[in-house]
Amino acid sequence: MSVGKINQERREEILSAALDLAESDGLAAVSLRAIGARVGLTPMALYGYFANKDELLDWLVGRVLREVPPPDPEASWRERLLACARGARAAAHRYPRTFPLLLTRPVVLPEAMRVVDPLYEALLDAGIPDERVAGWERMFSTFVLGFAVSEVSGRFGEGNLGTKERRDRLGPGELPAHHRLGEALDLPVDWDAEFEEGLARLVAMVEEEGARAG
Amino acid sequence: MSVGKINQERREEILSAALDLAESDGLAAVSLRAIGARVGLTPMALYGYFANKDELLDWLVGRVLREVPPPDPEASWRERLLACARGARAAAHRYPRTFPLLLTRPVVLPEAMRVVDPLYEALLDAGIPDERVAGWERMFSTFVLGFAVSEVSGRFGEGNLGTKERRDRLGPGELPAHHRLGEALDLPVDWDAEFEEGLARLVAMVEEEGARAG
DNA sequence: ACCTGAACACCGTTCAAGT
DNA sequence: ACCTGAACACCGTTCAAGT
C-alpha cells in the first residue's frame, strides 16, 4: 500500500534482476528467492514492492514493453507502423526467454497503452475509420507478437530434432503432403524476410482499406 | 524405457485427468501430485509413463491437437483451410486454459504433424510452389494460434478493468490517439467476425499467389 | 517505510525397495 | 511391468516482529 512513497529505484533494480535471471536461466528460474538473492534482499522484502509474484511478472512485461521505442512522429504512417513492428520484434530478440510472457499475460499496463497509442495514431492517419482502428490494431499486434514469440521460442521446430527423422517415423501414408514436399521442408528459413513479407502484406491491406474509406 | 509395453489406456487416463485439472483449476494447478490423486496413483508412479513433467505437458499438447479434426479430403482447398483454422479455434474455446501451451512449447509431436499435413496439402492444391508452402503454413498457423490464444487468455483486455478507467489514468497528453478515439474503443467486439475476416484475407492472399504461380 | 526469520503448505525429482 | 514411501532441495505466501 501507500504506493506513492515506495523506492522506485529499488523496484527497477529488482525488475532488472528478474529480467537478467529469466534470460540467463529461463523463466522457470525466476523465483522470489532467486531475485532476492541477486539484489541482496530476503524474498519477503519483495512484497513491499509487489503484491505477489503475479504482479511482479506484470511489471516485468511492462519493463520489456518500455524498451519498444515510440516511432518518429514526423514519419509517414506507413513508416511508423513498420517501426513499431520491428521494435517489438527486436525486443523479442533481446529478451527471447521473457518475451513469451507478453502473449500469455493479459496486458492491462500503462506501458502497453503507450506502445499501442502510436499504432492507433498511424492507423487513423492511414484513413482507417474510428470504429475499425481497434480491430486492425489487434490483427497487427497478433501478427507481430505471434510471429516473434513463435520465432524466439522455437515453436517452428528448427533444431529440436531433425525434421527429417521425425517425418520418417510416420510413413507417407500418414503424412502424404510432408513426403510429397520432401526436401522443400528442410530449406533454411530467412526469418527477417518472412517477417517483412507478412508485415508488408498487412500494411498493404491497411492502405487499401484506408484509401477506400477515406 | 521399453516404451512399447506401457499401458496406453492408463496413459490416456492420466492425460485426461491433467486436462480436466488444467481447465477446472488452471495450468498452475497441474502438478504431478494433483494428477496422481485424480487417477489414484502416487506422483512417482507417473514417471513410468512420462520422463518428467515437461514431457507430460508435451503429451498434453498432443492430446489437445488430436481434437482438431482433419478436414474432409473431398472439399476444396479453400474449404479445407477454413476447416482447419476453425477446428483449431474451436479447440481453444474447448480448452481455454490449456491451449496457450501450444504457442509456448515447441511442437515436435506426431500429432502436430498430423494437423499440419492437411494444411500443406491444401496449400499445394491452391497452387503454392513447394518451396513456399512451409512459409505460408507458418503464417497461417501463427495467425490462427495467435488469435485464438489472445482471445481465450484475455490478452485483449476485455473485463480485467474497464478500458475507460485505465485510459483516464494517463492523460490525453500521454495517450492522444486513445482519447481521440474515445468511445470507439469501447465498442463490443465480435470475435467470430474478426477471426473470419482475418481468415478470409489470408485465404485470398493464398489464392492470389497460387493463381500467379500456377 | 522497509526489512527479517520462522513457519506452512506446497512443488519436481531421486533413490531404494517392493510385487 | 508397475507401483510405493521416504527424503532432498526447492517453491509462494502469511505472520509476528524489528528499525
Side-chain angles (χ1 to χ4, degrees):
Chain A
M1 311 309 137
S2 69
V3 175
K5 290 279 181 70
I6 278 181
N7 184 341
Q8 298 288 348
E9 284 178 36
R10 181 63 70 106
R11 200 197 321 246
E12 284 308 312
E13 197 190 337
I14 294 168
L15 289 172
S16 293
L19 195 52
D20 279 3
L21 196 55
E23 290 307 319
S24 61
D25 298 350
L27 266 181
V30 177
S31 70
L32 299 184
R33 282 168 163 88
I35 299 168
R38 287 215 173 193
V39 293
L41 289 174
T42 61
M44 290 62 80
L46 303 182
Y47 285 88
Y49 300 90
F50 312 94
N52 49 42
K53 191 187 176 183
D54 241 49
E55 199 193 283
L56 186 150
L57 291 178
D58 283 338
W59 281 81
L60 194 57
V61 169
R63 174 64 237 264
V64 171
L65 283 172
R66 228 184 305 134
E67 294 205 20
V68 179
D72 174 9
E74 306 290 324
S76 69
W77 67 261
R78 181 184 272 282
E79 285 170 310
R80 279 176 279 148
L81 232 41
L82 294 173
C84 288
R86 288 168 185 151
R89 180 164 173 258
H93 287 160
R94 199 153 50 242
Y95 306 116
R97 306 178 89 165
T98 308
F99 201 81
L101 275 183
L102 298 227
L103 250 185
T104 302
R105 305 185 75 76
V107 194
V108 287
L109 309 161
E111 284 89 349
M113 298 176 117
R114 258 189 270 265
V115 170
V116 167
D117 205 73
L119 286 175
Y120 285 165
E121 195 98 48
L123 290 166
L124 283 168
D125 291 347
I128 300 292
D130 286 20
E131 72 277 9
R132 297 271 300 163
V133 166
W136 272 108
E137 190 281 325
R138 282 189 287 270
M139 210 61 93
F140 192 84
S141 61
T142 296
F143 166 74
V144 173
L145 290 186
F147 189 97
V149 169
S150 295
E151 184 187 5
V152 299
S153 75
R155 184 178 71 81
F156 295 137
E158 346 71 57
N160 305 67
L161 184 63
T163 326
K164 231 173 295 190
E165 294 101 80
R166 292 194 333 261
R167 197 160 63 226
D168 292 344
R169 259 190 303 208
L170 288 89
E174 304 204 76
L175 298 177
H178 279 80
H179 283 83
R180 176 135 44 107
L181 285 163
E183 347 175 277
L185 292 178
D186 301 318
L187 297 171
V189 180
D190 185 339
W191 299 112
D192 287 358
E194 199 155 306
F195 182 73
E196 290 294 328
E197 185 188 320
L199 202 51
R201 286 183 197 275
L202 265 171
V203 170
M205 296 189 310
V206 168
E207 178 160 45
E208 200 220 347
E209 172 158 332
R212 207 171 46 219
Chain B
M1 312 305 137
S2 70
V3 176
K5 290 279 181 68
I6 277 181
N7 185 341
Q8 298 288 348
E9 284 177 38
R10 181 64 70 109
R11 191 181 344 231
E12 285 307 312
E13 196 190 339
I14 294 168
L15 289 173
S16 293
L19 195 52
D20 279 2
L21 196 54
E23 290 307 319
S24 60
D25 299 350
L27 266 181
V30 177
S31 71
L32 298 185
R33 283 169 163 86
I35 298 168
R38 286 214 173 195
V39 294
L41 288 173
T42 61
M44 290 63 80
L46 303 182
Y47 284 89
Y49 300 90
F50 311 95
N52 49 43
K53 191 188 177 182
D54 241 50
E55 199 192 283
L56 186 150
L57 292 178
D58 283 339
W59 282 79
L60 194 57
V61 168
R63 176 61 237 265
V64 170
L65 283 172
R66 228 183 306 133
E67 294 204 19
V68 179
D72 174 9
E74 307 289 326
S76 70
W77 67 262
R78 180 185 271 281
E79 285 170 310
R80 278 176 280 148
L81 232 42
L82 294 174
C84 288
R86 290 168 184 152
R89 188 164 88 111
H93 287 160
R94 198 152 50 240
Y95 306 116
R97 308 178 87 164
T98 308
F99 201 81
L101 276 182
L102 297 227
L103 250 187
T104 301
R105 305 187 74 77
V107 194
V108 287
L109 309 162
E111 284 90 349
M113 299 177 114
R114 258 189 270 264
V115 171
V116 167
D117 204 73
L119 286 176
Y120 285 166
E121 195 100 46
L123 290 166
L124 283 167
D125 291 347
I128 300 292
D130 285 20
E131 73 278 10
R132 298 270 299 161
V133 166
W136 272 109
E137 189 281 324
R138 282 190 288 271
M139 211 62 91
F140 191 83
S141 61
T142 295
F143 166 74
V144 173
L145 290 186
F147 189 97
V149 169
S150 296
E151 183 187 5
V152 299
S153 75
R155 184 178 71 79
F156 294 136
E158 345 72 54
N160 304 66
L161 183 63
T163 326
K164 233 172 293 189
E165 295 101 82
R166 290 188 343 252
R167 196 159 64 225
D168 292 344
R169 260 191 303 212
L170 290 89
E174 304 204 78
L175 299 176
H178 279 80
H179 283 82
R180 175 134 47 107
L181 284 164
E183 346 175 276
L185 292 178
D186 301 319
L187 296 170
V189 181
D190 185 340
W191 299 111
D192 288 358
E194 199 154 307
F195 182 73
E196 289 296 328
E197 184 188 320
L199 203 51
R201 286 183 196 275
L202 266 170
V203 170
M205 296 189 311
V206 168
E207 178 160 45
E208 199 219 349
E209 173 158 332
R212 206 172 49 221

